[in-house]
Amino acid sequence: MSYPQFRKTLLSSFVAAVSVATLGSPAFAQNESDEQGMIEEIVVTGIRGSQKAAVDVKRNSAVIVDSIVAEDIGKLPDVTIADSLQRVTGVQIQRTAGEGSSLNVRGMPQVLTTLNGESFLSPWSITGVGANYSDIPASMISGVDVIKSQSASTTAGGISGVVDLKTRRALNMDEGWTATAAIEGSEGSITKDTNHDFNGFVGWNNGDMGFTFGAFSSLTNAANYQMYEDSRLGFVNSGGDPYDLNDDGNTTTDRYLVHGGYGVKAYVMEREREGFAASFQSNLSDALTFTGEVFYTKMDQYDRGVETQFNGSRDSNYDVLRPGTVTQKEAVVPGSGSTPDRVINSVQVAVVEAPDFQATTKSKQNHTDAINTNFELAFDSGDAFTGTIRYVHSEANKTFEEATFQQGTPVWYWVDADGDGQDDPVDPFLVTVDYTKEYPTFAYADDLSSADRLNLFQAFAIGQKDEATMDVLRGDGSYEFEFSGFKSVDFGLRLDRRDVETTKYDYLTPTGRYSTWADPNVPTDLWFEPLPGDYVWQRYPDWYDFKGNADIGLAPFDDLRSQLISYTDFGPFQGFETGVAALDPKSLDDVNGFMNSIYPGATKFADPAKAYSVVEETASAYLQGNFESDAGLFGIPYSGNLGVRVVQTEREVVNSTYAASAVPAEGTYYGGGADAALGKPPQGWQVMFKSLGTKTTEASFTDVLPAANISFFPADDVIVRFGYNKTMSRNDLVNVGEDETLWYQEYKVYTPDGDREDAEGKYKVVNSPGGGNDQGNPNVKPWRADNWNASTEWYFSEGGILGLGVFLIQVDTATETLQEARAYPDSDGVVRRTANVWTTQNVTGSDLKGFEIGYKQAFDFLPGLLSKTGMEFNYTFSDSDSGDEDLEGSSFPLQSNSKHQYNAILWFQGDKISSRIAYNWRSEIYQGRVGLNTNEAAISLGNWTEAAGYLDASINYDLVENVTLYLQGTNLTETNYRNYAQFEDQFHSLSVQERRVALGVRVRL
């Protein structure tokens, strides 16, 4: 069919063919398009050409879509695919150490990612739902489509949309040889390290057979300086504010949002990436085409640095604030039951009497690799029936490890400092932290650069291994016919199996002893003796002194002490310029070697509470009719599709069983400390439960997903679209598989039978759960929603568009993580208080609604050099309601959503010089709830990222034909992530994002 408004150029015809293949039609359409037209035969020239190609994809699609198209092979203008996608209308991204990593579409992260139209397995989202492209450089991808209104033939899995990554196929390219290569060096404004990136591509096509091969290798170092601390309620156990810090005369009901610690996390993230993409195609006959593809990525990421922390709690009261603190009254939480009214105050300047200080050296590392393969046989004899059979096999692995070395002088470490024969308490640190500055500042009088002030140390390590495989077998067909306006019918069957296994582990050390000092609570004949059997294992080894301990046979740790350095690299945060004693973070990279160098015999133990495997099998079938009419409705031509997809999901979750309780039975756990060996309740934080077997839970779900799309063509250059589809998305597997884990804290219980005594009387020390996670729910239902779309698009010039779209996503079933107050017995078996535990629940539906405006134009009607310029602008309004409320009754939006976002891009395309400047702005982002630690009733606080904008720019110069020199800068304004806890004056976190500048050369043969 050919309407007047579809007088396509040859380029737009070819783009349309590929668009139909990847957007609304089954996989066979891709091969049909390959034979009918070859998009790469038309050279897409520069920025102007890529903008026009993206507009043509949108114009010729059967559904609502926005796209980006590479200017040339290996030439998307950003570091990662996420960086490029932030330019697309309705796409919002999150950055990690300056690079785009994850995204959402129209405010929701439940987005399906596909590769060339079929499911894609990423090591960064093995257990998660949201797309994460940290290990995929933009040079590997030729274009991306963001599908917002899905058809029945689209693979199910995205609530708000589908992101389809596209690589090049051989038979779509010019006949003969094609080759490109690029090399660049880059540097950050803070790290100053010189980094490199290399990518190359070669392809060959003789018309009936061809192959492509592209590879990349890169090394980057990026600043990752942070401040982050969960909030506590200050003065809870004191019954109010004894200092009347805010001078309001209220000393009983004031509560302050204080931090658990006061310090800086000074990290540099090193990312080393490599990988390749290859394809082979052959026309086996006039009717059969074979396609084979492989896409491989590998990444080694190290996040190394030193943390400083002045302790923000004393005897669990969080009462470290002292006079001079600057506060502001924010809200009143009415009392209920035994909990009184609470007046919540934010803190702008904290004067802190910290009981101790810790310097922590860390190496956090992620090692990932993934291979995605595709084998496809397409049939097209030129008759009414066409079809494909396609098999996809993918494997992904991700290993995370974190080694921690912390040193300090804990508050409990009393020594005879004045030589009078009596042990003296450690002097507290008086610290002032000013949060009103762009970068919070620290002021204190102590010297932290010497190990004499930080004379004790402790090391521990954790890890996680995620493995996944995915197999997809699908068959698709299409049959052309004429019946009552319908021109063809598409149909298909798809079988999908995804296996995921997750194991989390701790390094336990065989270091447990009955005592490391003359403890009167331990029989004297057991002093300094190792604990027997399983009790010897420790998750968190006892603190050691650098000078050693002759009583337990520890020689001085002179070699370790000699490795200490005065660490001064704390980026823009002021207060630690004189240095902090720490290790070189790189010395922790070999986690097993590092742990065994300090604690011989350290061994990895899997935590059964955090180990699970999930198998999800889906069987789906779809039927879709495609219709069109020249006569149209009231004389307006139209075309569209109507269909349904049915998805049957079978889920099997396998968990370990273990004997979790406050006082577990002997032989069911490792560790537990001296108390456990002496027949007393174990130290909860030292317990590692043993796996006693497995349990299996099965669940199944059936989803019927109708879809309808129609496009009207009231004028040659105007399209009006309407779309509806019911969508579903799988769950984050943490919310499916994990069991309950608790963290513990000690506190005093004053009782006549106490075995210790202070000025207030006899007491005993008990362990109590302070909080925890119980997020696994094998029966949690998938996300489900109804997605409504309407848009009007005016194609007023070649490559120009002005579009307006409105959308409504009605979430029927959502998954939310909520805190639940649970009562647990203390280690002596008595229930005294509750702990807030994070749980997973299906919650009632919520709505996400909004509108989009998109504009693109080349200013070729202007005189002179201005005729070589152009512009892109888009704005998205996305309003949502998660159904959850904060402490003041205001509704929270959906997590990771910004209500407002816009992009503005100006470009210039000359004969030899081209340039682009792009600005991306997002309003404040809801990041979920603040993890508020309190033993009082839970308070709902939101974690919000402040509104921010990012400026990027690039310039290209053609030195000679086929040789281009380019310079590009990202985050030129050095914009940071700054978060607040519910109230704008309550600092929560800050992540420093540096400016990066890259210089490179690109060659095309």
Side-chain angles (χ1 to χ4, degrees):
M1 171 178 180
S2 177
Y3 297 124
Q5 64 273 13
F6 278 99
R7 299 190 196 106
K8 307 184 187 74
T9 63
L10 185 59
L11 172 62
S12 66
S13 298
F14 293 145
V15 173
V18 174
S19 170
V20 168
T22 58
L23 298 181
S25 301
F28 68 85
Q30 298 177 20
N31 296 280
E32 180 182 11
S33 301
D34 293 351
E35 296 174 2
Q36 293 176 351
M38 298 182 183
I39 183 172
E40 294 301 336
E41 289 182 352
I42 303 301
V43 177
V44 179
T45 304
I47 302 171
R48 183 192 300 265
S50 65
Q51 176 178 288
K52 183 181 184 304
V55 170
D56 284 337
V57 169
K58 184 176 183 70
R59 180 171 187 170
N60 295 291
S61 170
V63 295
I64 297 174
V65 64
D66 284 289
S67 301
I68 52 174
V69 178
E71 298 173 33
D72 203 345
I73 294 173
K75 196 181 175 184
L76 282 176
D78 296 286
V79 178
T80 71
I81 293 303
D83 290 322
S84 296
L85 281 167
Q86 71 178 317
R87 321 292 178 200
V88 174
T89 308
V91 174
Q92 303 172 345
I93 74 167
Q94 298 269 32
R95 291 174 173 82
T96 302
E99 288 185 3
S101 54
S102 59
L103 59 81
N104 66 48
V105 174
R106 292 174 166 174
M108 295 191 68
Q110 289 76 25
V111 177
L112 175 67
T113 301
T114 58
L115 180 66
N116 294 324
E118 187 44 78
S119 290
F120 169 72
L121 193 56
S122 167
W124 288 93
S125 54
I126 287 177
T127 62
V129 177
N132 188 313
Y133 310 122
S134 296
D135 58 346
I136 304 177
S139 62
M140 292 280 284
I141 303 299
S142 64
V144 186
D145 294 327
V146 181
I147 307 163
K148 300 173 181 177
S149 177
Q150 303 166 46
S151 65
S153 59
T154 306
T155 302
I159 290 292
S160 56
V162 175
V163 175
D164 185 33
L165 311 178
K166 296 188 287 189
T167 60
R168 283 176 168 78
R169 289 181 167 179
L171 295 183
N172 289 344
M173 300 185 63
D174 293 341
E175 291 194 19
W177 288 92
T178 300
T180 66
I183 186 170
E184 74 174 39
S186 62
E187 184 177 280
S189 58
I190 299 176
T191 53
K192 302 296 184 182
D193 294 320
T194 300
N195 306 143
H196 70 265
D197 180 280
F198 168 79
N199 65 81
F201 175 89
V202 62
W204 175 76
N205 173 23
N206 72 353
D208 288 317
M209 180 183 297
F211 74 89
T212 66
F213 181 81
F216 71 94
S217 176
S218 69
L219 173 68
T220 59
N221 292 274
N224 197 25
Y225 303 97
Q226 303 173 16
M227 285 182 63
Y228 176 89
E229 288 293 343
D230 280 341
S231 297
R232 279 86 163 125
L233 279 187
F235 303 111
V236 170
N237 290 4
S238 302
D241 171 11
Y243 303 102
D244 194 15
L245 296 177
N246 55 9
D247 294 322
D248 66 350
N250 179 359
T251 61
T252 58
T253 61
D254 273 332
R255 301 287 188 270
Y256 296 87
L257 294 175
V258 301
H259 295 121
Y262 299 84
V264 174
K265 305 175 191 296
Y267 288 89
V268 173
M269 182 175 288
E270 176 186 298
R271 302 179 177 102
E272 187 172 0
R273 304 178 178 94
E274 58 187 40
F276 66 88
S279 72
F280 172 78
Q281 286 188 293
S282 176
N283 291 326
L284 304 179
S285 69
D286 290 341
L288 287 176
T289 300
F290 170 78
T291 300
E293 295 171 303
V294 60
F295 189 86
Y296 174 77
T297 58
K298 182 178 184 295
M299 181 172 180
D300 296 303
Q301 175 180 290
Y302 293 88
D303 202 14
R304 308 181 183 98
V306 172
E307 300 180 7
T308 64
Q309 178 172 287
F310 294 96
N311 196 349
S313 63
R314 180 188 295 273
D315 295 334
S316 301
N317 293 331
Y318 311 121
D319 64 350
V320 295
L321 296 180
R322 295 295 178 261
T325 295
V326 179
T327 70
Q328 179 171 306
K329 180 180 176 180
E330 301 287 0
V332 178
V333 180
S336 62
S338 61
T339 302
D341 289 353
R342 289 171 288 178
V343 180
I344 308 301
N345 296 268
S346 61
V347 176
Q348 288 71 59
V349 178
V351 178
V352 179
E353 186 180 78
D356 55 40
F357 172 83
Q358 289 180 7
T360 302
T361 307
K362 281 194 177 183
S363 172
K364 297 183 284 188
Q365 51 189 285
N366 285 282
H367 304 279
T368 72
D369 67 273
I371 186 167
N372 288 267
T373 62
N374 172 61
F375 304 95
E376 186 175 331
L377 190 64
F379 173 81
D380 184 358
S381 63
D383 295 328
F385 173 76
T386 57
T388 62
I389 296 176
R390 187 172 186 180
Y391 172 66
V392 172
H393 175 75
S394 304
E395 298 179 6
N397 298 275
K398 180 172 178 285
T399 300
F400 165 78
E401 286 200 314
E402 176 180 306
T404 300
F405 179 83
Q406 57 187 29
Q407 56 194 101
T409 304
V411 64
W412 45 261
Y413 187 65
W414 289 30
V415 296
D416 184 7
D418 54 12
D420 64 355
Q422 299 292 323
D423 287 342
D424 305 306
V426 176
D427 291 333
F429 295 82
L430 191 63
V431 186
T432 299
V433 187
D434 188 347
Y435 295 107
T436 64
K437 310 291 186 183
E438 179 182 3
Y439 299 98
T441 61
F442 295 78
Y444 52 91
D446 298 86
D447 178 14
L448 304 175
S449 63
S450 170
D452 292 337
R453 191 68 168 93
L454 309 176
N455 47 15
L456 298 188
F457 69 89
Q458 178 191 54
F460 48 90
I462 59 174
Q464 178 173 334
K465 176 73 173 177
D466 296 322
E467 300 175 284
T469 61
M470 182 184 70
D471 292 278
V472 178
L473 178 64
R474 61 181 290 177
D476 300 275
S478 181
Y479 187 78
E480 295 181 355
F481 64 95
E482 296 279 346
F483 178 75
S484 188
F486 283 89
K487 303 298 183 180
S488 66
V489 61
D490 301 333
F491 48 89
L493 177 66
R494 183 178 185 275
L495 303 176
D496 177 2
R497 177 185 171 100
R498 185 186 298 254
D499 292 75
V500 176
E501 186 170 344
T502 292
T503 303
K504 295 185 180 181
Y505 53 86
D506 291 60
Y507 279 83
L508 302 190
T509 62
T511 52
R513 296 178 181 273
Y514 283 100
S515 71
T516 57
W517 59 291
D519 187 349
N521 298 295
V522 174
T524 56
D525 61 326
L526 295 178
W527 285 356
F528 316 120
E529 292 297 316
L531 293 174
D534 292 336
Y535 299 120
V536 74
W537 296 104
Q538 292 186 303
R539 267 184 162 176
Y540 305 103
D542 294 319
W543 288 80
Y544 287 166
D545 198 313
F546 281 106
K547 66 177 182 249
N549 187 333
D551 290 326
I552 59 177
L554 290 178
F557 291 87
D558 293 335
D559 180 61
L560 183 63
R561 185 170 185 143
S562 68
Q563 298 176 41
L564 294 177
I565 60 175
S566 180
Y567 196 88
T568 58
D569 182 11
F570 291 93
F573 296 105
Q574 297 181 11
F576 300 99
E577 292 81 4
T578 57
V580 174
L583 290 177
D584 180 349
K586 289 187 177 181
S587 66
L588 280 63
D589 286 352
D590 178 5
V591 177
N592 184 70
F594 169 73
M595 290 297 294
N596 274 275
S597 69
I598 301 177
Y599 310 110
T603 305
K604 289 192 291 188
F605 284 73
D607 186 345
K610 300 177 182 178
Y612 58 88
S613 65
V614 178
V615 176
E616 287 190 334
E617 295 181 333
T618 63
S620 63
Y622 72 90
L623 182 67
Q624 175 177 298
N626 305 299
F627 57 85
E628 62 183 42
S629 173
D630 291 313
L633 181 66
F634 303 113
I636 301 176
Y638 63 82
S639 67
N641 54 68
L642 176 66
V644 64
R645 178 180 286 268
V646 180
V647 183
Q648 173 71 27
T649 303
E650 301 288 340
R651 176 190 294 162
E652 179 185 87
V653 182
V654 179
N655 299 100
S656 295
T657 58
Y658 54 97
S661 67
V663 187
E666 183 178 356
T668 63
Y669 62 94
Y670 299 100
D675 286 344
L678 293 170
K680 302 176 182 179
Q683 295 170 306
W685 64 86
Q686 292 287 20
V687 169
M688 170 71 77
F689 293 106
K690 295 181 180 181
S691 178
L692 304 179
T694 60
K695 60 181 178 182
T696 301
T697 307
E698 296 181 348
S700 63
F701 313 95
T702 300
D703 289 272
V704 179
L705 308 175
N709 294 275
I710 188 168
S711 298
F712 293 94
F713 310 101
D716 288 355
D717 52 5
V718 176
I719 303 176
V720 179
R721 306 183 192 268
F722 298 94
Y724 163 78
N725 63 294
K726 194 171 186 66
T727 62
M728 63 167 290
S729 178
R730 66 187 181 90
N731 300 104
D732 187 322
L733 296 186
V734 171
N735 300 135
V736 173
E738 280 202 358
D739 269 354
E740 183 182 70
T741 56
L742 302 173
W743 61 268
Y744 291 81
Q745 60 187 7
E746 287 185 346
Y747 74 103
K748 296 178 181 179
V749 175
Y750 287 92
T751 175
D753 61 349
D755 54 4
R756 306 183 189 188
E757 189 171 2
D758 62 14
E760 297 182 39
K762 288 187 176 183
Y763 68 92
K764 60 182 177 181
V765 176
V766 298
N767 302 315
S768 171
N773 293 286
D774 188 14
Q775 296 186 44
N777 180 357
N779 295 301
V780 66
K781 297 177 183 177
W783 285 72
R784 297 180 176 123
D786 293 280
N787 198 329
W788 303 82
N789 290 273
S791 71
T792 299
E793 301 156 10
W794 176 31
Y795 297 90
F796 53 83
S797 66
E798 186 177 24
I801 181 177
L802 176 62
L804 171 65
V806 296
F807 57 88
L808 170 63
I809 301 176
Q810 296 173 305
V811 180
D812 299 322
T813 305
T815 301
E816 188 164 351
T817 303
L818 304 170
Q819 275 191 317
E820 177 180 282
R822 295 181 178 178
Y824 295 94
D826 293 338
S827 56
D828 61 357
V830 179
V831 177
R832 295 184 176 89
R833 52 186 185 175
T834 61
N836 294 318
V837 177
W838 292 99
T839 63
T840 295
Q841 302 176 24
N842 281 123
V843 295
T844 55
S846 56
D847 292 346
L848 186 150
K849 55 187 179 294
F851 65 88
E852 303 171 337
I853 300 172
Y855 163 74
K856 296 181 181 182
Q857 185 174 16
F859 298 144
D860 47 14
F861 56 88
L862 295 176
L865 286 178
L866 293 179
S867 66
K868 301 179 183 296
T869 64
M871 181 180 183
E872 298 182 26
F873 177 84
N874 60 67
Y875 166 79
T876 302
F877 172 80
S878 179
D879 190 19
S880 64
D881 182 353
S882 68
D884 194 13
E885 296 181 345
D886 63 20
L887 77 167
E888 296 176 299
S890 300
S891 296
F892 285 131
L894 293 172
Q895 190 167 332
S896 81
N897 182 39
S898 289
K899 183 176 289 190
H900 306 278
Q901 173 177 312
Y902 71 83
N903 289 281
I905 302 172
L906 295 174
W907 55 262
F908 172 82
Q909 179 74 60
D911 295 332
K912 283 185 170 292
I913 296 178
S914 64
S915 63
R916 178 199 315 257
I917 184 168
Y919 185 73
N920 171 269
W921 182 86
R922 293 182 64 177
S923 62
E924 60 184 10
I925 309 167
Y926 174 61
Q927 301 287 16
R929 297 195 192 199
V930 173
L932 183 66
N933 289 326
T934 174
N935 294 114
E936 292 186 338
I939 296 177
S940 181
L941 305 177
N943 176 11
W944 296 87
T945 300
E946 293 181 353
Y950 292 82
L951 181 67
D952 305 322
S954 64
I955 185 169
N956 302 270
Y957 176 70
D958 294 333
L959 293 173
V960 295
E961 186 177 4
N962 294 330
V963 179
T964 300
L965 184 69
Y966 63 90
L967 175 69
Q968 62 184 33
T970 58
N971 193 19
L972 295 176
T973 54
E974 295 190 307
T975 300
N976 302 314
Y977 275 140
R978 187 182 179 99
N979 285 28
Y980 60 87
Q982 183 68 29
F983 310 107
E984 292 186 8
D985 291 325
Q986 179 62 36
F987 176 91
H988 182 64
S989 63
L990 176 66
S991 180
V992 176
Q993 313 283 314
E994 67 182 335
R995 176 176 60 251
R996 295 196 65 81
V997 177
L999 177 65
V1001 61
R1002 184 178 293 108
V1003 179
R1004 180 183 179 113
L1005 302 179

